[in-house]
């Protein structure tokens, strides 16, 4: 698929189910691999990123089988990974590489990691620095970027690490590494980031606790060398994927949508709150508990949106949703200012720049600063071509912009969408989106 053209649509409606959460899927495979006994995962996201992690784990000696809609992982225990005989390629997956760098600690092996053009540009120093303090030997790395050759120690050293960035990937790498340490690993982040690793480690038997400190930062403490025991995991739908059809229904005239079994973790639901503040008619109902996560159903319909200021403290709770929020902002009355978003510059692409440039091409005014993006809602001309830059969320966001633009929008290299949302096209077409593949 070289490109997709998206065209003005109406009546974008239906009831849908979205695939499993990407963050939980990576963690279920990795933590299952580090446990004793079998783990059964149902609802695993079957996307390229998750398959990259699965292939990596197989190369590290883990047996993973697919049977009856589930994946069975036969864990090797903590520090049980085997030295791979070839390069491990994580493709486009930042979560895959950063979590695995931590997970192999304690296994006393040399591993050579690489990734695709997008992943090879992304900073790994943020994970390599604490892992070096925990005993890793970085044999080669191109200025803290992939490809990386790393030697993990026999046992990680327990550290106390204060991170300046709220990043679940850094946090998870350190916690997974801390599993093989004999002492207590402590990690402090400025604002709580997604907590799936903490929840899953606790479910698998680790002694792990979380506390908000007096200055608002988040402290996690993990006792090393727990007995992690294989477990069953049911993966709820990914709220980050849900955001794409949800925003489509809100901005396309005569639309209504219902989505079931959506993960409602309080570290992930900032987008729903933000859209509601903008005036979106969203109802959340049927709340349930599935494993260690909460889920709910969501209903939304076409709504008149207004511009708002999105506070920086909210960014960790919706870090992946700014591209699609910017599309909603382009359709709103007035301007929307998104503060505290500098981390977007080191995602699968520089999302502040790519979103800003793309919106300008489509006829929408923006102001781009290092740490913020302002979008002025207005007439969307369209009639432009946007390259995905190998960033799935850029591709999906601009395809959705085309559904409300006066003229079509062409998105180049859209196959990157398979990294996170394999049935995006089918779901969007069934709901009534005019998307033409070429
Ligand atoms: C993720 C953490 C976030 C997010 C990414 C998934 C995770 O990255 O953007 O898509 O599963 O831990 P950072 O940790 O870099 O913020």
């Amino acid at each position: 698929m070289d490109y997709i053209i998206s065209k003005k649509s109406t009546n974008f409606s239906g009831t849908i189910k979205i695939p499993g959460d990407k963050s939980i899927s990576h963690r279920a495979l990795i933590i299952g691999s580090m446990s004793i006994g079998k783990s059964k995962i149902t609802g695993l996201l079957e996307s390229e990123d998750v398959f990259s992690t699965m292939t990596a784990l197989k190369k590290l000696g883990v047996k993973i089988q697919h049977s009856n809609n589930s994946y069975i992982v036969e864990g090797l225990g903590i520090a049980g990974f085997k030295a791979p005989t070839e390069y491990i390629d994580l493709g486009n997956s930042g979560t895959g590489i950063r979590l695995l760098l931590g997970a192999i600690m304690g296994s006393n092996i040399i591993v050579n990691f690489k990734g695709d053009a997008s992943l090879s540009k992304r900073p790994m120093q943020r994970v390599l620095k604490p892992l070096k303090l925990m005993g890793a030997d970085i044999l080669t790395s191109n200025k803290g970027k992939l490809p990386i050759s790393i030697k993990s120690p026999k046992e990680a050293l327990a550290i106390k690490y204060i991170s300046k960035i709220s990043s679940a990937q850094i946090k998870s790498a350190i916690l997974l590494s801390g599993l093989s340490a004999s002492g207590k690993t402590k990690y402090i982040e400025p604002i709580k980031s997604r907590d799936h690793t903490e929840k899953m480690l606790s479910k698998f038997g680790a002694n792990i606790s979380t506390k908000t400190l007096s200055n608002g930062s988040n402290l996690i403490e993990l006792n090393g060398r727990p007995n992690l025991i294989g477990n069953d995991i049911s993966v709820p739908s990914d709220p980050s994927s849900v955001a794409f059809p949800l925003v489509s229904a809100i901005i396309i005239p005569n639309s209504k949508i219902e989505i079931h079994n959506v993960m409602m973790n309080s570290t992930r639901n900032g987008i729903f709150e933000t859209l509601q503040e903008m005036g979106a008619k969203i109802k959340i109902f049927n709340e349930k508990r599935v494993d260690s996560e909460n889920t709910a159903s969501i209903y939304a319909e076409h709504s008149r949106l207004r511009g708002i200021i999105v506070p920086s403290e909210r960014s960790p709770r919706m870090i992946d949703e700014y591209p699609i929020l910017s599309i909603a902002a382009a359709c709103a009355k007035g301007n929307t200012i998104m503060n505290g978003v500098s981390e977007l510059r080191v995602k699968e692409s520089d999302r502040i720049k790519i979103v800003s440039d793309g919106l300008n091409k489509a006829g929408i005014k923006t102001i781009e600063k290092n740490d913020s993006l302002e979008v002025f809602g207005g007439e969307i001309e369209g009639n432009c071509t946007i390259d995905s830059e190998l960033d799935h969320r850029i591709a999906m966001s601009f395809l959705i912009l085309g559904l409300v633009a006066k003229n079509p929008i062409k998105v180049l290299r859209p196959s990157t969408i398979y990294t996170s949302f394999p049935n995006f096209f089918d779901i969007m077409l069934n709901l009534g989106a005019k998307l033409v593949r070429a």
Side-chain angles (χ1 to χ4, degrees):
M1 219 188 324
D2 291 337
Y3 62 84
I4 297 182
I5 296 176
S6 67
K7 298 183 179 168
K8 201 172 182 73
S9 306
T10 53
N11 299 302
F12 179 89
S13 295
T15 299
I16 54 167
K17 193 172 176 300
I18 295 290
D21 185 71
K22 184 149 75 73
S23 294
I24 296 190
S25 295
H26 283 291
R27 285 160 173 81
L29 290 170
I30 295 172
I31 294 174
S33 298
M34 300 176 81
S35 301
I36 306 287
K38 291 187 181 176
S39 292
K40 183 177 167 192
I41 311 168
T42 43
L44 186 86
L45 171 64
E46 293 176 306
S47 77
E48 285 176 3
D49 272 10
V50 176
F51 287 141
S52 293
T53 290
M54 195 186 293
T55 306
L57 290 166
K58 287 180 180 171
K59 286 187 181 174
L60 289 162
V62 185
K63 282 198 189 126
I64 304 174
Q65 272 160 3
H66 188 202
S67 83
N68 297 332
N69 293 330
S70 300
Y71 285 84
I72 311 289
V73 181
E74 285 182 43
L76 297 172
I78 290 165
F81 291 121
K82 309 278 180 291
T85 50
E86 52 184 320
Y87 255 100
I88 291 193
D89 186 349
L90 267 307
N92 194 256
S93 180
T95 307
I97 178 67
R98 295 197 178 112
L99 269 58
L100 283 173
L101 281 166
I104 60 163
M105 294 287 287
S107 290
N108 194 23
I109 52 176
I110 293 177
V111 187
N112 300 308
F113 286 109
K114 64 180 178 181
D116 73 2
S118 155
L119 192 58
S120 304
K121 285 189 212 150
R122 299 182 65 187
M124 296 300 145
Q125 202 58 46
R126 50 180 57 199
V127 172
L128 297 181
K129 189 178 156 207
L131 292 182
K132 268 195 234 168
L133 297 174
M134 297 179 93
D137 206 353
I138 313 304
L139 305 175
T140 54
S141 159
N142 179 17
K143 295 187 191 131
K145 294 191 175 156
L146 289 171
I148 289 168
S149 175
I150 181 171
K151 181 174 185 307
S152 68
K154 261 195 198 133
E155 178 188 328
L157 299 169
I159 56 166
K160 175 177 177 184
Y161 196 76
I162 303 175
S163 175
K164 289 199 184 92
I165 317 167
S166 287
S167 156
Q169 293 178 355
I170 303 176
K171 170 170 68 178
S172 302
I174 294 174
L175 293 175
L176 293 174
S177 167
L179 289 172
S180 81
S182 37
K184 190 180 270 200
T185 295
K186 297 182 186 177
Y187 180 80
I188 297 177
E189 55 187 348
I191 302 175
K192 187 174 182 180
S193 62
R194 65 189 68 191
D195 60 357
H196 310 301
T197 301
E198 296 91 301
K199 285 187 161 164
M200 207 179 287
L201 283 177
S202 169
K203 178 180 158 88
F204 277 65
N207 189 343
I208 184 165
S209 64
T210 303
K211 178 157 91 186
T212 309
L213 301 178
S214 54
N215 64 358
S217 55
N218 187 40
L219 163 72
I220 299 114
E221 294 185 303
L222 169 74
N223 286 347
R225 303 199 174 180
N227 277 327
L228 293 185
I229 309 293
N231 230 297
D232 290 353
I233 295 174
S234 170
V235 186
S237 296
D238 194 328
S240 299
S241 297
V242 163
F244 293 99
L246 185 78
V247 167
S248 307
I250 291 167
I251 61 177
I252 298 172
N254 293 321
S255 303
K256 50 179 182 239
I257 196 168
E258 203 167 297
I259 312 173
H260 297 295
N261 191 37
V262 180
M263 185 171 61
M264 279 293 157
N265 179 306
S266 61
T267 61
R268 297 284 300 279
N269 60 1
I271 184 67
F272 306 128
E273 197 176 314
T274 302
L275 289 168
Q276 280 170 331
E277 278 176 21
M278 293 173 81
K281 293 178 199 152
I282 297 179
K283 276 188 210 137
I284 296 174
F285 58 103
N286 201 11
E287 288 173 52
K288 284 191 195 142
R289 184 110 185 140
V290 174
D291 276 345
S292 26
E293 299 287 353
N294 294 325
T295 65
S297 299
I298 302 190
Y299 167 86
E301 60 188 41
H302 175 245
S303 317
R304 249 187 257 281
L305 299 179
R306 54 182 175 271
I308 59 162
I309 297 175
V310 188
S312 43
E313 316 82 76
R314 200 178 293 161
S315 63
R317 290 176 49 224
M318 53 178 290
I319 193 65
D320 292 334
E321 282 62 77
Y322 287 97
I324 188 63
L325 177 66
S326 306
I327 303 305
C331 301
K333 190 167 185 293
N335 52 339
T336 296
I337 305 174
M338 296 163 253
N339 286 322
V341 293
S342 60
E343 271 295 294
L344 298 190
R345 296 208 180 270
V346 290
K347 295 294 175 192
E348 285 82 332
S349 69
D350 176 344
R351 287 183 176 159
I352 301 186
K353 181 176 174 1
I354 305 297
V355 166
S356 177
D357 290 354
L359 286 176
N360 296 163
K361 276 189 177 180
I364 292 292
K365 190 182 153 201
T366 58
I367 298 177
E368 179 195 339
K369 295 196 182 142
N370 183 44
D371 197 25
S372 70
L373 176 63
E374 183 166 2
V375 175
F376 294 78
E379 190 88 56
I380 300 150
E381 277 299 321
N383 198 18
C384 57
T385 299
I386 310 286
D387 188 279
S388 73
E389 304 282 341
L390 296 184
D391 185 335
H392 50 137
R393 300 196 206 281
I394 293 294
M396 291 187 275
S397 297
F398 281 96
L399 285 173
I400 289 168
L401 188 67
L403 305 177
V404 289
K406 265 169 85 186
N407 303 290
I409 292 183
K410 187 177 189 178
V411 172
L412 306 180
R413 299 196 286 169
S415 307
T416 183
I417 293 170
Y418 292 123
T419 60
S420 69
F421 197 163
N423 57 350
F424 172 79
F425 305 105
D426 297 337
I427 286 183
M428 294 296 285
L429 289 177
N430 282 335
L431 287 167
K434 289 188 186 152
L435 297 176
V436 186
R437 302 182 216 201

